[in-house]
Amino acid sequence: MNEKRKKPMQHYKKMQCWVILKRILIGRDSWPLKDPIDLKFLKAFHDKDNLENKSKLKTMGLKNIESKLQFYSTPDEFATDIRFVFSQRMLLYPPRNEVHKIALKFSEYFENKWKSLKKDWDLEERKINKRKRDEHAHEMKDFFQTKRSR
């Protein structure tokens, strides 16, 4: 097939995503987030609400995300799946339910960590870009000095 292969996520970003995921997975309260929701339960929920997109039912757990971590091409793909797990639990369980509360707690934890990581990554990108610009300017300076000395 002529399917374009996605470029893998940068290793250091993948490792930082893995650390966040592991911290959630080892949490004492993470039990309702680890495995996908039972499809029968999900279908019953959607039947109750008469939703039209029953064919697009999707379920995912944190263990699924862990197993596909190496296949994400961007950190945002990873974040989208993590957020899906939290939002699905919060949608399916009422606010007073323990599962809803756990999903909300871990969602808040994730968003705080994610915000911090994004800042760090942006800062690192700016440093790299500045270094590249400085190197390029230095190369151009050398090039013109060499031309003048001939």
Side-chain angles (χ1 to χ4, degrees), residues 82-132:
I82 291 279
R83 289 178 178 127
F84 175 79
V85 170
F86 299 141
S87 64
Q88 189 178 51
R89 280 14 176 233
M90 288 188 283
L91 176 68
L92 293 174
Y93 293 91
R96 290 188 176 188
N97 185 286
E98 182 181 8
V99 174
H100 183 101
K101 290 175 185 176
I102 289 169
L104 182 61
K105 177 182 87 169
F106 281 116
S107 176
E108 289 170 353
Y109 166 81
F110 173 76
E111 293 303 335
N112 286 331
K113 290 290 185 186
W114 194 250
K115 186 178 176 182
S116 175
L117 272 180
K118 293 288 266 189
K119 281 182 186 177
D120 291 347
W121 292 339
D122 288 344
L123 181 61
E124 187 65 29
E125 288 292 320
R126 283 197 299 272
K127 285 180 183 178
I128 290 169
N129 290 336
K130 183 182 182 321
R131 205 171 316 134
K132 285 180 182 176

Side-chain angles (χ1 to χ4, degrees), residues 16-128:
Q16 289 171 322
C17 291
W18 180 80
V19 168
I20 290 176
L21 180 60
K22 273 300 188 191
R23 285 187 181 151
I24 295 170
L25 278 169
I26 63 171
R28 186 183 75 206
D29 294 335
S30 67
W31 61 268
L33 307 171
K34 289 181 180 182
D35 295 311
I37 293 175
D38 182 14
L39 222 44
K40 290 177 186 175
F41 175 74
L42 195 57
K43 285 180 181 176
F45 177 80
H46 283 283
D47 286 343
K48 181 181 83 177
D49 287 346
N50 293 322
L51 295 178
E52 294 177 18
N53 292 333
K54 292 175 194 169
S55 62
K56 295 182 182 180
L57 292 180
K58 173 177 142 180
T59 183
M60 184 183 295
L62 296 177
K63 288 181 184 177
N64 300 105
I65 294 170
E66 182 180 31
S67 67
K68 66 186 247 189
L69 188 59
Q70 66 189 20
F71 300 109
Y72 291 115
S73 60
T74 66
D76 290 327
E77 288 178 9
F78 165 80
T80 297
D81 280 353
I82 291 279
R83 289 178 178 127
F84 175 79
V85 170
F86 299 141
S87 64
Q88 189 178 51
R89 280 14 176 233
M90 288 188 283
L91 176 68
L92 293 174
Y93 293 91
R96 290 188 176 188
N97 185 286
E98 182 181 8
V99 174
H100 183 101
K101 290 175 185 176
I102 289 169
L104 182 61
K105 177 182 87 169
F106 281 116
S107 176
E108 289 170 353
Y109 166 81
F110 173 76
E111 293 303 335
N112 286 331
K113 290 290 185 186
W114 194 250
K115 186 178 176 182
S116 175
L117 272 180
K118 293 288 266 189
K119 281 182 186 177
D120 291 347
W121 292 339
D122 288 344
L123 181 61
E124 187 65 29
E125 288 292 320
R126 283 197 299 272
K127 285 180 183 178
I128 290 169

